[in-house]
């Protein structure tokens, strides 16, 4: 009786559609709203530091003198609080998970701040 059950389960599964993916070759589409890792658009960033102040686990570090923004992905809990508070909307959530790392290293991004334009001098003489 055991062999008959085995055959009746095995034979139909040969003709069915595969239920698994060949992972490294075919990647599954992420679900809407799926969390993965924080990504920054350095061109939009103004180094205001709101993301670092809001982060509950101190994973983000903003340094205006060094003009750098860094995140420690090992500390990040992907709560999205930094994304919500960013005034320039330069932070976003990439739904793909971070690949496996062997060393705990923070991701450092160099930010080029736009130079402030000097204000035009106002002539104090009111000549008509």
């Amino acid at each position: 009786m055991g062999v008959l059950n085995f055959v009746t389960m095995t034979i139909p599964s040969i003709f069915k559609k595969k239920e698994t993916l060949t992972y490294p070759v075919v990647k599954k589409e992420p679900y809407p709203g799926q969390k993965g890792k924080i990504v920054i658009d350095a061109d939009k960033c103004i180094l205001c530091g709101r993301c670092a102040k809001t982060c509950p686990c101190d994973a983000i570090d903003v340094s205006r003198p060094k003009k750098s923004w860094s995140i420690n992905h090992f500390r990040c809990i992907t709560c999205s609080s930094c994304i919500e508070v960013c005034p320039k909307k330069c932070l976003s959530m990439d739904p793909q998970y971070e690949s496996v790392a062997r060393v705990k290293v923070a991701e450092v991004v160099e930010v080029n701040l736009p130079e402030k334009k000097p204000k035009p001098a106002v002539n104090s003489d009111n000549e008509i």
Side-chain angles (χ1 to χ4, degrees), residues 26-98:
V26 180
K27 291 187 178 182
K28 190 175 182 181
E29 288 293 320
Y31 298 108
Q34 180 176 336
K35 296 181 178 182
K37 67 175 183 174
I38 304 293
V39 179
I40 185 170
D41 183 4
D43 296 333
K44 293 181 183 178
C45 185
I46 59 172
L47 294 174
C48 64
R50 289 184 184 177
C51 53
K53 292 175 186 172
T54 306
C55 184
C57 55
D58 293 329
I60 299 174
D61 183 38
V62 177
S63 175
R64 279 182 91 61
K66 294 180 183 177
K67 295 182 181 179
S68 67
W69 181 93
S70 65
I71 184 165
N72 186 342
H73 290 289
F74 285 94
R75 290 182 121 188
C76 181
I77 57 173
T78 61
C79 64
S80 302
S81 62
C82 57
I83 296 171
E84 295 168 4
V85 77
C86 183
K88 295 293 183 177
K89 303 299 179 203
C90 62
L91 297 176
S92 61
M93 183 73 70
D94 183 12
Q96 294 297 329
Y97 286 104
E98 184 72 19

Side-chain angles (χ1 to χ4, degrees), residues 1-11:
M1 190 72 153
V3 174
L4 185 59
N5 285 339
F6 176 73
V7 171
T8 57
M9 288 175 31
T10 307
I11 298 295

